[in-house]
Amino acid sequence: MADLIIIGGGVIGLSLAWELAGRGLVSQVFDQGPIGRASSWAGAGLVPPPHRAKDLNDPTCMLRARSADLYPIWSQRLLDQTGIDNGFRISGGLDVALNSREEPALQSMTGRWRKQGIRFELVDDIRAAQLEPELTKDFSRAFYLPERAQIRNPWHLRALQSACQNLGVTMHPHVPIQQLLVKNNSIEGIKTNHGEFAARQIVVAAGAWSGPLLGNLGIHMPTTPVKGQMLLLDPGQILIHRIIEHEKCYLVPRDEGLVLAGATEEHVGFEDSLTDSAKGYLWNEAISLVPKLAQSRIVNHWCGFRPGSKDSRPYLGQVPGFSGLYVATGHQRAGLSLSPGTAESMADLITGQPTRIALDGYSVAREAAPRRDEAVRS
Ligand SMILES: Cc1cc2nc3c(=O)[nH]c(=O)nc-3n(C[C@H](O)[C@H](O)[C@H](O)COP(=O)(O)OP(=O)(O)OC[C@H]3O[C@@H](n4cnc5c(N)ncnc54)[C@H](O)[C@@H]3O)c2cc1C
């Protein structure tokens, strides 16, 4: 019998498996597809800047702040353990409004940044041109966040998988879990199309597919997929050095000059077509922010399914009424950025330690929290 099975080999499942293995609890990770390929692979890899305020009391904010602190530590540790660079770079970012109508929403972010102790600076057109000479001159307001960071998701996932395996974690790709096996409200294992596997503890970290796994137990945990399409552009030269954000879109420069242009937000279930309308929308966004991107070649176009939740907060913790059953999912637009803090606090819980971040506000059984657009724009 396995001590612990994690369902889902995305960034959440792998981060938790690695954190637990580092504490001596070696798990088995099951995935219905390849490991590290679903939403986590598709994401842009934006990582929020450090929060220096001491009195953060919003749960999402605490998770984000802790994760921002852990990212550089994790990145170095992953490099040491695996030799794989996960692409963590403090590239800095510019947040822009393109007209006066967009200014109030951007300006309102400064209150949040100030409260959370995030470094930022209002920039005029001279300073903006120094920072990013190819940024459009037609912006009406811009802020520079020097500590905004990024990772390369595929590299990060590869590093996590390798680090897990070095510590003895077993990966089971291409094994869909059909059902959780429960007796007298205690977890007993999983049923897959490769047979049954017994386990004392199970963590459901199956992203947008998590809801139905609990639905079979009569638990309502909506994880409605939110489709995001993204373009990878090759302008043939290095045009930008910093992440540029505009409303819900962004441009992310990679070391070699490639630029990610993301992302749509579509409520279309698991419909996975790549559409011309999304391509046109992202292309137009890209060239309105950096006109010279018009000379780019579109190298790739893909989509992924962010795991939704009832109120844009993830579900973290033990499932009430079921011994040995945990969830870590529903991170929506911020699963990559929140993954180290998620893994740390979930590992605290599973190993019987006080959790670094109080998880009450993330309970599956919570009342939906008031909606807030707190997540990074990704
Ligand atoms: C276009 C786009 C851009 C994004 N950009 C960012 C960003 O910049 N920063 C950020 O923080 N976040 C970003 N996100 C969001 C982020 O990618 C997700 O929140 C995060 O990847 C969720 O991780 P996960 O491990 O929960 O889910 P996933 O990566 O989807 O992993 C879940 C895994 O569970 C497996 N699974 C599902 N059901 C079963 C089953 N029955 N049996 C076995 N296995 C199962 C799946 O195959 C999958 O591999 C973005 C997402 C998209 C789509």
Short mmCIF file of all heavy atoms in Angstrom, two decimals, residues 225-259:
data_model
loop_
_atom_site.label_atom_id
_atom_site.label_comp_id
_atom_site.label_asym_id
_atom_site.label_seq_id
_atom_site.Cartn_x
_atom_site.Cartn_y
_atom_site.Cartn_z
N PRO A 225 -13.08 24.69 -16.29
CA PRO A 225 -11.91 25.11 -17.06
C PRO A 225 -12.05 26.51 -17.65
O PRO A 225 -13.13 26.88 -18.11
CB PRO A 225 -11.85 24.07 -18.19
CG PRO A 225 -13.22 23.51 -18.28
CD PRO A 225 -13.83 23.60 -16.92
N VAL A 226 -10.98 27.25 -17.59
CA VAL A 226 -10.93 28.57 -18.25
C VAL A 226 -9.82 28.49 -19.28
O VAL A 226 -8.63 28.49 -18.96
CB VAL A 226 -10.66 29.70 -17.23
CG1 VAL A 226 -10.68 31.05 -17.94
CG2 VAL A 226 -11.67 29.68 -16.10
N LYS A 227 -10.26 28.41 -20.53
CA LYS A 227 -9.28 28.21 -21.62
C LYS A 227 -8.44 29.47 -21.84
O LYS A 227 -8.96 30.59 -21.82
CB LYS A 227 -10.07 27.87 -22.89
CG LYS A 227 -9.22 27.65 -24.14
CD LYS A 227 -10.14 27.30 -25.30
CE LYS A 227 -9.43 27.26 -26.62
NZ LYS A 227 -10.36 27.02 -27.75
N GLY A 228 -7.16 29.26 -22.04
CA GLY A 228 -6.27 30.37 -22.37
C GLY A 228 -5.46 30.02 -23.61
O GLY A 228 -4.83 28.95 -23.65
N GLN A 229 -5.50 30.90 -24.62
CA GLN A 229 -4.65 30.69 -25.80
C GLN A 229 -3.48 31.66 -25.74
O GLN A 229 -3.59 32.77 -25.20
CB GLN A 229 -5.45 30.95 -27.08
CG GLN A 229 -6.60 29.98 -27.28
CD GLN A 229 -7.23 30.10 -28.66
OE1 GLN A 229 -6.56 29.99 -29.69
NE2 GLN A 229 -8.54 30.29 -28.69
N MET A 230 -2.38 31.24 -26.33
CA MET A 230 -1.14 32.01 -26.25
C MET A 230 -0.39 31.89 -27.58
O MET A 230 -0.47 30.87 -28.25
CB MET A 230 -0.30 31.38 -25.14
CG MET A 230 0.98 32.04 -24.85
SD MET A 230 0.86 32.88 -23.29
CE MET A 230 1.04 31.50 -22.22
N LEU A 231 0.35 32.95 -27.90
CA LEU A 231 1.21 32.91 -29.10
C LEU A 231 2.66 33.03 -28.67
O LEU A 231 2.99 33.73 -27.71
CB LEU A 231 0.92 34.10 -30.02
CG LEU A 231 -0.47 34.23 -30.63
CD1 LEU A 231 -0.52 35.49 -31.53
CD2 LEU A 231 -0.86 33.00 -31.43
N LEU A 232 3.54 32.37 -29.43
CA LEU A 232 4.98 32.58 -29.26
C LEU A 232 5.49 33.26 -30.52
O LEU A 232 5.31 32.75 -31.64
CB LEU A 232 5.70 31.25 -29.05
CG LEU A 232 7.21 31.36 -28.82
CD1 LEU A 232 7.52 32.12 -27.53
CD2 LEU A 232 7.85 29.97 -28.75
N LEU A 233 6.07 34.45 -30.34
CA LEU A 233 6.51 35.26 -31.48
C LEU A 233 8.03 35.28 -31.57
O LEU A 233 8.73 35.36 -30.55
CB LEU A 233 6.02 36.70 -31.32
CG LEU A 233 4.52 36.88 -31.04
CD1 LEU A 233 4.19 38.36 -30.84
CD2 LEU A 233 3.69 36.31 -32.18
N ASP A 234 8.51 35.25 -32.80
CA ASP A 234 9.96 35.41 -33.01
C ASP A 234 10.19 36.66 -33.86
O ASP A 234 10.01 36.64 -35.07
CB ASP A 234 10.53 34.18 -33.73
CG ASP A 234 12.04 34.31 -33.94
OD1 ASP A 234 12.61 35.33 -33.49
OD2 ASP A 234 12.63 33.40 -34.53
N PRO A 235 10.61 37.75 -33.22
CA PRO A 235 10.81 38.99 -33.98
C PRO A 235 12.16 39.03 -34.69
O PRO A 235 12.46 40.01 -35.38
CB PRO A 235 10.75 40.08 -32.90
CG PRO A 235 11.06 39.41 -31.61
CD PRO A 235 10.77 37.95 -31.76
N GLY A 236 12.98 38.00 -34.50
CA GLY A 236 14.27 37.95 -35.21
C GLY A 236 15.35 38.78 -34.54
O GLY A 236 16.49 38.81 -35.01
N GLN A 237 15.02 39.47 -33.48
CA GLN A 237 16.01 40.24 -32.70
C GLN A 237 15.42 40.48 -31.31
O GLN A 237 14.22 40.29 -31.12
CB GLN A 237 16.29 41.58 -33.37
CG GLN A 237 15.04 42.43 -33.52
CD GLN A 237 15.32 43.82 -34.09
OE1 GLN A 237 16.10 44.58 -33.54
NE2 GLN A 237 14.66 44.15 -35.19
N ILE A 238 16.28 40.86 -30.37
CA ILE A 238 15.76 41.12 -29.03
C ILE A 238 15.10 42.50 -29.02
O ILE A 238 15.77 43.52 -29.22
CB ILE A 238 16.87 41.02 -27.97
CG1 ILE A 238 17.37 39.57 -27.92
CG2 ILE A 238 16.36 41.47 -26.61
CD1 ILE A 238 18.43 39.27 -26.90
N LEU A 239 13.79 42.53 -28.82
CA LEU A 239 13.06 43.81 -28.84
C LEU A 239 12.73 44.31 -27.44
O LEU A 239 12.70 45.51 -27.20
CB LEU A 239 11.74 43.66 -29.62
CG LEU A 239 11.84 43.56 -31.14
CD1 LEU A 239 10.44 43.47 -31.73
CD2 LEU A 239 12.56 44.77 -31.72
N ILE A 240 12.41 43.39 -26.53
CA ILE A 240 12.05 43.83 -25.17
C ILE A 240 12.80 42.97 -24.14
O ILE A 240 13.19 41.83 -24.43
CB ILE A 240 10.53 43.76 -24.90
CG1 ILE A 240 9.98 42.35 -25.17
CG2 ILE A 240 9.80 44.79 -25.72
CD1 ILE A 240 8.54 42.16 -24.70
N HIS A 241 12.97 43.55 -22.97
CA HIS A 241 13.70 42.87 -21.89
C HIS A 241 12.82 42.63 -20.67
O HIS A 241 13.18 41.89 -19.78
CB HIS A 241 14.92 43.71 -21.47
CG HIS A 241 15.89 43.90 -22.59
ND1 HIS A 241 15.80 44.93 -23.49
CD2 HIS A 241 16.96 43.15 -22.96
CE1 HIS A 241 16.77 44.82 -24.38
NE2 HIS A 241 17.49 43.75 -24.09
N ARG A 242 11.71 43.34 -20.60
CA ARG A 242 10.86 43.26 -19.42
C ARG A 242 9.47 42.77 -19.80
O ARG A 242 9.05 42.92 -20.95
CB ARG A 242 10.75 44.63 -18.75
CG ARG A 242 12.07 45.07 -18.18
CD ARG A 242 12.10 46.50 -17.73
NE ARG A 242 13.45 46.81 -17.29
CZ ARG A 242 14.48 47.09 -18.09
NH1 ARG A 242 14.31 47.16 -19.40
NH2 ARG A 242 15.68 47.32 -17.59
N ILE A 243 8.78 42.23 -18.79
CA ILE A 243 7.40 41.79 -19.00
C ILE A 243 6.55 43.05 -19.17
O ILE A 243 6.69 44.01 -18.40
CB ILE A 243 6.91 40.99 -17.77
CG1 ILE A 243 7.76 39.72 -17.60
CG2 ILE A 243 5.43 40.67 -17.87
CD1 ILE A 243 7.77 39.16 -16.20
N ILE A 244 5.72 43.07 -20.18
CA ILE A 244 4.84 44.23 -20.39
C ILE A 244 3.40 43.76 -20.22
O ILE A 244 2.97 42.80 -20.88
CB ILE A 244 5.05 44.85 -21.78
CG1 ILE A 244 6.51 45.32 -21.91
CG2 ILE A 244 4.08 46.01 -22.02
CD1 ILE A 244 6.88 45.84 -23.28
N GLU A 245 2.68 44.40 -19.31
CA GLU A 245 1.30 44.00 -19.05
C GLU A 245 0.35 45.13 -19.42
O GLU A 245 0.63 46.30 -19.14
CB GLU A 245 1.09 43.63 -17.58
CG GLU A 245 1.93 42.44 -17.16
CD GLU A 245 1.34 41.67 -16.00
OE1 GLU A 245 0.09 41.64 -15.86
OE2 GLU A 245 2.12 41.08 -15.25
N HIS A 246 -0.75 44.73 -20.02
CA HIS A 246 -1.78 45.69 -20.39
C HIS A 246 -3.13 45.02 -20.17
O HIS A 246 -3.43 44.01 -20.82
CB HIS A 246 -1.63 46.09 -21.87
CG HIS A 246 -2.82 46.86 -22.39
ND1 HIS A 246 -3.56 46.44 -23.47
CD2 HIS A 246 -3.40 47.99 -21.93
CE1 HIS A 246 -4.54 47.30 -23.69
NE2 HIS A 246 -4.47 48.25 -22.77
N GLU A 247 -3.91 45.54 -19.23
CA GLU A 247 -5.16 44.91 -18.85
C GLU A 247 -4.92 43.42 -18.62
O GLU A 247 -4.04 43.07 -17.86
CB GLU A 247 -6.24 45.21 -19.89
CG GLU A 247 -6.52 46.72 -19.98
CD GLU A 247 -7.80 47.06 -20.69
OE1 GLU A 247 -7.99 46.60 -21.82
OE2 GLU A 247 -8.62 47.81 -20.10
N LYS A 248 -5.64 42.53 -19.32
CA LYS A 248 -5.45 41.11 -19.05
C LYS A 248 -4.42 40.46 -19.98
O LYS A 248 -4.26 39.24 -20.00
CB LYS A 248 -6.78 40.38 -19.17
CG LYS A 248 -7.70 40.72 -18.00
CD LYS A 248 -8.83 39.76 -17.86
CE LYS A 248 -9.50 39.96 -16.50
NZ LYS A 248 -10.55 39.00 -16.23
N CYS A 249 -3.75 41.27 -20.80
CA CYS A 249 -2.76 40.71 -21.72
C CYS A 249 -1.35 41.06 -21.27
O CYS A 249 -1.14 41.97 -20.49
CB CYS A 249 -2.99 41.24 -23.13
SG CYS A 249 -4.46 40.53 -23.86
N TYR A 250 -0.41 40.31 -21.82
CA TYR A 250 0.99 40.55 -21.45
C TYR A 250 1.92 40.05 -22.55
O TYR A 250 1.54 39.20 -23.37
CB TYR A 250 1.34 39.84 -20.12
CG TYR A 250 0.87 38.41 -20.09
CD1 TYR A 250 1.58 37.40 -20.73
CD2 TYR A 250 -0.31 38.07 -19.43
CE1 TYR A 250 1.13 36.09 -20.71
CE2 TYR A 250 -0.77 36.76 -19.42
CZ TYR A 250 -0.04 35.78 -20.06
OH TYR A 250 -0.49 34.49 -20.06
N LEU A 251 3.11 40.62 -22.52
CA LEU A 251 4.20 40.14 -23.38
C LEU A 251 5.32 39.71 -22.44
O LEU A 251 5.69 40.44 -21.52
CB LEU A 251 4.72 41.26 -24.29
CG LEU A 251 3.70 41.85 -25.26
CD1 LEU A 251 4.29 43.07 -25.97
CD2 LEU A 251 3.27 40.79 -26.28
N VAL A 252 5.85 38.52 -22.68
CA VAL A 252 6.92 38.01 -21.81
C VAL A 252 8.15 37.73 -22.66
O VAL A 252 8.10 36.87 -23.55
CB VAL A 252 6.48 36.71 -21.10
CG1 VAL A 252 7.54 36.28 -20.08
CG2 VAL A 252 5.14 36.89 -20.41
N PRO A 253 9.24 38.47 -22.43
CA PRO A 253 10.43 38.25 -23.24
C PRO A 253 11.22 37.06 -22.72
O PRO A 253 11.41 36.93 -21.51
CB PRO A 253 11.24 39.54 -23.00
CG PRO A 253 10.85 39.97 -21.62
CD PRO A 253 9.43 39.52 -21.40
N ARG A 254 11.64 36.19 -23.60
CA ARG A 254 12.52 35.09 -23.21
C ARG A 254 13.96 35.45 -23.57
O ARG A 254 14.19 36.31 -24.44
CB ARG A 254 12.10 33.79 -23.91
CG ARG A 254 10.68 33.32 -23.60
CD ARG A 254 10.38 33.19 -22.12
NE ARG A 254 9.25 32.29 -21.88
CZ ARG A 254 8.60 32.18 -20.75
NH1 ARG A 254 8.93 32.93 -19.71
NH2 ARG A 254 7.61 31.32 -20.61
N ASP A 255 14.92 34.78 -22.92
CA ASP A 255 16.35 35.15 -23.08
C ASP A 255 16.76 35.27 -24.54
O ASP A 255 17.54 36.13 -24.92
CB ASP A 255 17.26 34.08 -22.44
CG ASP A 255 17.12 34.05 -20.93
OD1 ASP A 255 16.56 35.00 -20.36
OD2 ASP A 255 17.58 33.06 -20.33
N GLU A 256 16.29 34.36 -25.38
CA GLU A 256 16.78 34.28 -26.75
C GLU A 256 16.06 35.22 -27.71
O GLU A 256 16.27 35.16 -28.92
CB GLU A 256 16.72 32.83 -27.26
CG GLU A 256 15.31 32.23 -27.34
CD GLU A 256 14.84 31.60 -26.01
OE1 GLU A 256 14.99 32.24 -24.97
OE2 GLU A 256 14.29 30.49 -26.06
N GLY A 257 15.19 36.09 -27.17
CA GLY A 257 14.52 37.08 -28.02
C GLY A 257 13.09 36.72 -28.37
O GLY A 257 12.36 37.55 -28.91
N LEU A 258 12.70 35.48 -28.10
CA LEU A 258 11.30 35.11 -28.36
C LEU A 258 10.40 35.87 -27.38
O LEU A 258 10.83 36.24 -26.29
CB LEU A 258 11.11 33.61 -28.18
CG LEU A 258 11.93 32.71 -29.12
CD1 LEU A 258 11.76 31.25 -28.74
CD2 LEU A 258 11.53 32.94 -30.57
N VAL A 259 9.16 36.08 -27.80
CA VAL A 259 8.21 36.83 -26.96
C VAL A 259 6.90 36.05 -26.88
O VAL A 259 6.31 35.69 -27.90
CB VAL A 259 7.94 38.23 -27.53
CG1 VAL A 259 6.88 38.97 -26.70
CG2 VAL A 259 9.22 39.06 -27.60
#
